[in-house]
Amino acid sequence: MTPHGWTLLIAFSITLLLLAYPLGSYIHAVMSGRWPWLTRIENLFYRLCGVKPDTEMGWLAYALALLLFNALGLLSVYGLQRLQWWLPLNPQNLGNVGPDSAFNTAVSFVTNTNWQGYGGESTMSYLTQMLGLSVQNFLSAATGIAVVVALIRGLTRHSSQAIGNAWVDLTRCTLWILLPLCAAFAVLLVQQGVIQNFSAYQDIATVERVSLPGTQTLAMGPVASQEAVKLIGTNGGGFFNANSAHPFENPTALSNFAQMVAIFLIPAALCFTFGRAVGDLRQGWGVLAAMWLLFFAGAVGTMTLEQQGNPLLARADVDQTTSIVQAGGNMEGKEVRFGIMDSALFATVTTDASCGAVNAMHDSFTPLGGLIPMVNMQLGEVVFGGVGTGLYGMLVFAILAVFIAGLMIGRTPEYLGKKIEAFDMKMVSIAILVTPLLVLLGTAIAVTTEAGRTGIANPGAHGFSEILYALTSAANNNGSAFAGLSANTPFYNVLLALAMWMGRFGVIVPVLALAGSLAAKKRVTATEGSMPTHGPLFVMLLIGTVLLVGLLNYVPALALGPVVEHLMLWK
């Protein structure tokens, strides 16, 4: 860690806290319907769509509504890609997307994963980027927020069979949270130099050879609007193939810093929303503290490991110095504009959240430097995580931690006045175990089939790491990639699409079932024997539960990949 790295990490943490605290109060007010003038505007949309906002749903109806809503979104994105050559706003006359790639991309954006097996500027028309991908960026993010709001209602209500109205929650998340934040952030990005237009691609004369100048084609498009929701909604799908390493997406050091803050903004704010909803802000601070400590450890680890550099280059007496600030270290795969510390922190942020936006090539990180982003996802995307998904994932771990503590002291476990019983623990177990099952089973299928091994460009431990990272990213709805794997094939497009869909809704459905079960319970009065769930002891118990339960499933696979590669590199 360099002084620049410490300064960056501290500034990032302080800025995030200052912005997240008031936003958490705002989200709580909006989702509670406390402002009548907003409700009057919403009612226009409800009447237009035939929605009865006062009619609430049980958990099963809520889950079916979300599944239907997202299935229709999948079909619309798929159709846009398959027909884009005949549709408007396609100045480059880009052709229709192939069926397997279109299916993978549709599932990817609907599930908030935004895995991209294609180059955006060479594959997607402006209409597909906006009406298909950007719209789903909003709706998938709204789905995540709606689910965590439903779970919070389950914890705060008692003797109730309802957890809210899915259509009302989706409307409020989109209209009053995502749209205003993204509009403001898009303006900031445009001010920093992110492009926003509908122009055809520009051919520009280069200055590399004065005597024989060439030309370079510069892709244009409505980038800032998609970039804003890509980050605010923890989506991650870039307008360009280079994602946030592209100067038209991420032009300055300030835009890079702002993008990192934007990724964590709503996930951090929801912790304060949770605290206010349950009537005890300390509960929100406790969850936030656990998230931040896990993030801080990962960020310091990644930044330190990348600053060490490559020992093979050092032994070959190759000068790895890049600048006074970023002297030494592993600059392979990193933007010189940002350097090692900013790139390593960005990698940590984007994999702690289910975002997937990248400003560096994770495939070029040192073995252990690449292991930490992989582990961040394997923990279940609960270290801040995606909008909504991070908090409901961490609350699931909190219930498990309370259950473990109850077993140790011989008491019936309680969380926020709700007794945790057999059905609740079944739903918790499903929500925690579904993603490891998808990751490990998918990796096993890929490495044991010819179609899976064909995509490997780097044999040995690193090639295995690329497959493991791809399945980890898909099942945990992150979307980032090591990118050394040739994944735009029918085999990987279908395999990863199935992992993304099951990784998303295989968790959402049991979380909603858990919310329904908790809402139906009576609240019990806390006694001297009740375990406090906001103090340092519980924070440490929660972190330990996340590390032991969330990570233990992956230790053998990690040993075959990045750990072996590290030992080979540093032997």
Side-chain angles (χ1 to χ4, degrees), residues 354-423:
S354 62
C355 185
V358 294
N359 73 349
M361 182 68 72
H362 295 185
D363 193 46
S364 297
F365 279 31
T366 60
L368 295 187
L371 176 142
I372 293 176
M374 194 186 305
V375 166
N376 289 340
M377 295 183 290
Q378 291 171 346
L379 292 177
E381 300 277 14
V382 297
V383 186
F384 290 98
V387 287
T389 62
L391 180 57
Y392 70 63
M394 187 60 91
L395 291 178
V396 166
F397 273 108
I399 293 172
L400 178 59
V402 167
F403 179 76
I404 293 172
L407 291 178
M408 290 191 292
I409 63 175
R411 283 182 56 89
T412 301
E414 301 170 7
Y415 186 58
L416 300 179
K418 298 296 182 75
K419 288 187 178 294
I420 308 303
E421 298 173 321
F423 177 82

Side-chain angles (χ1 to χ4, degrees), residues 33 98 134 211 245 259 429 437 450 488 537 565:
S134 290
S211 60
Q259 288 187 15
S429 300
L437 177 64
E450 184 63 29
N488 193 10
L537 178 62
E565 187 181 3

Side-chain angles (χ1 to χ4, degrees), residues 14 85 102 198 213 312 379 413 517 536 562:
I14 293 174
W85 189 79
F198 293 102
L312 298 181
L379 292 177
S517 173

Side-chain angles (χ1 to χ4, degrees), residues 227-240:
E227 189 75 9
V229 68
K230 148 192 164 180
L231 299 160
I232 292 287
T234 62
N235 295 282
F239 194 95
F240 301 113

Side-chain angles (χ1 to χ4, degrees), residues 553-566:
N553 299 294
Y554 298 101
V555 170
L558 292 171
L560 294 173
V563 174
V564 167
E565 187 181 3
H566 171 78

